Amino acid sequence: MALRSAAVLALMAQVSVAQDTTIKAGTNVGAPQTNTYPEGGATADAGKFPPESKVGFPGPTPTGQEPAAIQTAPEYPYNNGPSHQFPLVAPQPWGKGEFGDRFDITKYWGNLSPWYSVSSADYGLPHASPQVPDNCSIVQVHLLYRHGARYPTSGAAPATFAQKLFNATRGAGFSVKGELAFLSDWTYKLGAELLTPFGRSQNFNLGIAYRQLYGHLLNNFTAAGTIPVFRTQSQDRMVKTAQNFAAGFFGVPEFLDQVNIEILVETPGLNNSGAPYEICTNSNVGSRGSIGSTAANAFANNAFNSTIARLQSQIFGVNITSTDIIAMLQLCSYETHALGYSAFCAIFSEEDFINYEYYYDLTFYYNNGPGSPVSAAQGKGYLQEFVARFTHSFPTASSALNLTFDNTTTYFPLNQSIYADATHEVVVLDTLTAFNLTALFSGPPLSTSGNQKRSKFVASKVVPFATHFTTQVLECSAYKPTRQIRFLVNDAVVPISGSHPGCPVDPNGLCSFDNVVSVLQKRIAEINFDYDCFGNYTAKAGVDYNGRAPKS
């Protein structure tokens, strides 16, 4: 027993010495690392490896009935288990005991979180489910969804931090020890903009889920002799997002000829409801559409002081700032999504991740939520398009929508039973604000000084990777009128009785379809796109503008 104790003490002493050992960083630290596959023009050879259509002999291929699990299954398949982040590895935060309560760091990454099912109870409907209520049947579904996990955008904080370390090695150099010892040979392995393998799987699995839930609505296309039009933007990740969703929904290679994927050009100066910031010039003005970014950075300047002090004691030759802390937290998120694991995650505490989430809460609440003066204007395009589909009439040109494509049933069909539009998270939140779904934001405006936990809005619940906003149109025999509608965000049914006049309190979040359409038409009329996007005014964080510009 004494020998065993001595061995344990000796091992602990070795670990302590290793943690205190200062390591000189290599000269390649922070350097970007890339791989290209396939190299040298290598490509699949269809001549030597012909496809199924050429080989033949497929065997029996009878089809079964389309699934309708949204109204036939006894319960709903919530995405609240390990599958929402498989096969990613997310360690417990710094200072967390191995046998204590588990803390899921991935739910504190704001818009970089993987999506997970949110409870309807979070918004005041404890008994509501996405499952179609009794005595109702689904008639139509509208889906607005975000791309899955991606690399950072070009020039974002992670690459800037990597360059900072690389520059330090070109000067006097730097040294690290303890928890930061891994930085001695760390290199930057992330690309930019593109979907990661996990991101592709998120959209593919979403497509599978919606085929299982709503597949029976394809029978309407079969009866009409048509196929759906699904829409996306021209950025590579957006095209791949729509393709992966379609592959999950229709199968591979069936999606290639069972759906029309409409690709709308995303570029500055060109109208596109999926990228309204390209023409809404106020969206990038610091005193207007970007007040959330300013508020979030100001919060970060004071929120991580103890963490900066702890980490600064373990790195010599590089000054750690709050900007670097956000960059390293983002590296935790991005490397996990892209590489499966990140050493950066283990150096941050539970409190750090909570503050990281609030950093994003502030960003999105004031850039694209009710605290933004441009969000309703930017979401107006999709709002108009949804209402146009509801009413079987083309929209007018009073937003960022592209009327060239929205005035013909070829590109903007008005009678589909399934719609699916892919976009970015900022536009999803703009749209939710334009729809005036205030239950998502109930409570006072977010405090810029710290999280007072008085608001319902949490960015990771509303704008994570692969977030989706679903509108169900139903026929309900027990309701008068029988045509009803309701809205869901990541499986949470969102009540509208407090935001849409004429909608009663309903345990299932339902309201008369005609009444909701009327309310949304009035909302369209009140959103002044030209003033909000091009007007001269000043906005500030700390105010709930309901997504509209102040008249100042």
Side-chain angles (χ1 to χ4, degrees):
M1 189 68 174
L3 289 175
R4 180 179 299 177
S5 298
V8 170
L9 289 172
L11 179 61
M12 291 175 63
Q14 292 175 6
V15 170
S16 177
V17 170
Q19 288 179 338
D20 290 336
T21 301
T22 299
I23 307 170
K24 182 75 172 179
T27 58
N28 206 38
V29 169
Q33 304 291 310
T34 63
N35 298 121
T36 303
Y37 173 85
E39 282 280 13
T43 185
D45 189 336
K48 294 178 180 177
F49 301 92
E52 177 190 25
S53 59
K54 296 290 186 182
V55 173
F57 302 96
T61 59
T63 60
Q65 187 176 30
E66 284 291 347
I70 196 68
Q71 59 189 45
T72 60
E75 59 185 61
Y76 187 80
Y78 288 106
N79 180 27
N80 53 13
S83 63
H84 83 272
Q85 62 186 57
F86 174 83
L88 310 183
V89 176
Q92 287 296 283
W94 177 85
K96 194 75 173 177
E98 181 180 356
F99 301 105
D101 294 336
R102 301 293 290 177
F103 181 83
D104 188 349
I105 64 173
T106 69
K107 292 183 178 180
Y108 295 86
W109 292 353
N111 67 317
L112 305 185
S113 291
W115 91 271
Y116 60 92
S117 292
V118 178
S119 172
S120 302
D122 288 1
Y123 304 113
L125 293 177
H127 305 296
S129 162
Q131 207 71 9
V132 171
D134 292 342
N135 302 311
C136 293
S137 60
I138 194 81
V139 174
Q140 189 180 58
V141 63
H142 301 251
L143 173 66
L144 182 66
Y145 67 105
R146 182 197 182 191
H147 59 76
R150 55 161 171 78
Y151 288 128
T153 51
S154 302
T160 301
F161 175 73
Q163 187 65 49
K164 178 177 180 176
L165 296 186
F166 183 76
N167 291 344
T169 68
R170 293 301 179 266
F174 71 94
S175 301
V176 289
K177 69 175 184 177
E179 296 150 11
L180 296 185
F182 74 93
L183 286 179
S184 65
D185 60 357
W186 174 79
T187 54
Y188 187 69
K189 302 176 181 66
L190 302 175
E193 313 279 352
L194 304 177
L195 292 179
T196 67
F198 175 69
R200 296 197 299 268
S201 77
Q202 288 181 291
N203 296 130
F204 181 80
N205 287 332
L206 188 64
I208 292 174
Y210 272 65
R211 181 62 175 264
Q212 290 293 119
L213 295 170
Y214 302 103
H216 65 294
L217 295 177
L218 287 176
N219 293 331
N220 297 317
F221 295 94
T222 303
T226 61
I227 60 175
V229 173
F230 290 171
R231 304 191 309 168
T232 190
Q233 277 59 248
S234 61
Q235 286 188 351
D236 181 86
R237 70 175 178 273
M238 297 310 306
V239 175
K240 301 301 193 298
T241 290
Q243 290 174 335
N244 278 286
F245 176 85
F249 193 93
F250 295 99
V252 178
E254 289 85 358
F255 83 94
L256 294 173
D257 56 17
Q258 292 187 8
V259 62
N260 290 310
I261 297 179
E262 180 180 348
I263 302 173
L264 297 167
V265 174
E266 177 176 347
T267 193
L270 192 65
N271 278 46
N272 185 338
S273 53
Y277 42 77
E278 299 290 13
I279 67 165
C280 183
T281 55
N282 278 344
S283 66
N284 294 313
V285 176
S287 61
R288 296 167 195 157
S290 295
I291 57 176
S293 301
T294 303
N297 289 331
F299 166 76
N301 283 340
N302 297 310
F304 299 100
N305 291 337
S306 61
T307 301
I308 291 174
R310 174 169 58 85
L311 296 182
Q312 188 66 73
S313 70
Q314 300 173 74
I315 185 168
F316 313 96
V318 173
N319 184 46
I320 299 297
T321 68
S322 62
T323 300
D324 297 328
I325 294 296
I326 292 298
M328 288 190 281
L329 282 161
Q330 290 180 346
L331 280 162
C332 161
S333 305
Y334 281 120
E335 285 190 343
T336 301
H337 283 302
L339 308 174
Y341 169 77
S342 174
F344 285 97
C345 296
I347 67 175
F348 292 107
S349 69
E350 185 173 319
E351 181 183 9
D352 290 330
F353 284 109
I354 291 172
N355 285 331
Y356 182 44
E357 172 64 47
Y358 196 66
Y359 169 87
Y360 282 119
D361 294 349
L362 287 169
T363 300
F364 284 92
Y365 186 93
Y366 290 111
N367 278 359
N368 305 98
S372 165
V374 301
S375 56
Q378 292 193 133
K380 185 178 180 179
Y382 274 130
L383 173 58
Q384 284 188 280
E385 290 177 338
F386 272 57
V387 171
R389 293 164 175 169
F390 294 155
T391 59
H392 309 290
S393 59
F394 295 121
T396 58
S398 61
S399 67
L401 62 78
N402 193 315
L403 203 60
T404 301
F405 292 94
D406 281 9
N407 67 353
T408 166
T409 54
T410 299
Y411 301 109
F412 192 75
L414 298 171
N415 59 350
Q416 293 188 171
S417 51
I418 304 173
Y419 290 96
D421 289 85
T423 187
H424 306 273
E425 81 279 25
V426 291
V427 186
V428 173
L429 187 53
D430 287 335
T431 304
L432 297 174
T433 306
F435 269 74
N436 205 30
L437 299 181
T438 59
L440 297 170
F441 315 101
S442 61
L446 295 187
S447 169
T448 56
S449 60
N451 189 355
Q452 298 179 352
K453 301 180 180 179
R454 298 168 61 197
S455 173
K456 290 291 186 182
F457 179 69
V458 178
S460 60
K461 292 183 178 181
V462 183
V463 290
F465 282 130
T467 189
H468 42 287
F469 169 43
T470 306
T471 301
Q472 294 177 338
V473 180
L474 310 101
E475 278 292 322
C476 301
S477 58
Y479 284 76
K480 299 298 179 186
T482 58
R483 182 61 58 97
Q484 298 284 306
I485 190 172
R486 65 178 182 168
F487 304 108
L488 298 81
V489 175
N490 295 329
D491 294 339
V493 181
V494 182
I496 57 175
S497 56
S499 55
H500 292 56
C503 290
V505 174
D506 184 88
N508 295 306
L510 291 168
C511 185
S512 160
F513 175 83
D514 289 338
N515 183 74
V516 170
V517 169
S518 176
V519 171
L520 294 180
Q521 288 171 328
K522 292 175 182 176
R523 178 68 166 166
I524 290 171
E526 76 179 29
I527 299 173
N528 187 333
F529 179 82
D530 288 341
Y531 177 76
D532 294 359
C533 282
F534 310 115
N536 183 16
Y537 56 84
T538 299
K540 62 180 181 180
V543 179
D544 180 349
Y545 292 110
N546 194 22
R548 297 295 322 286
K551 302 295 184 180
S552 60

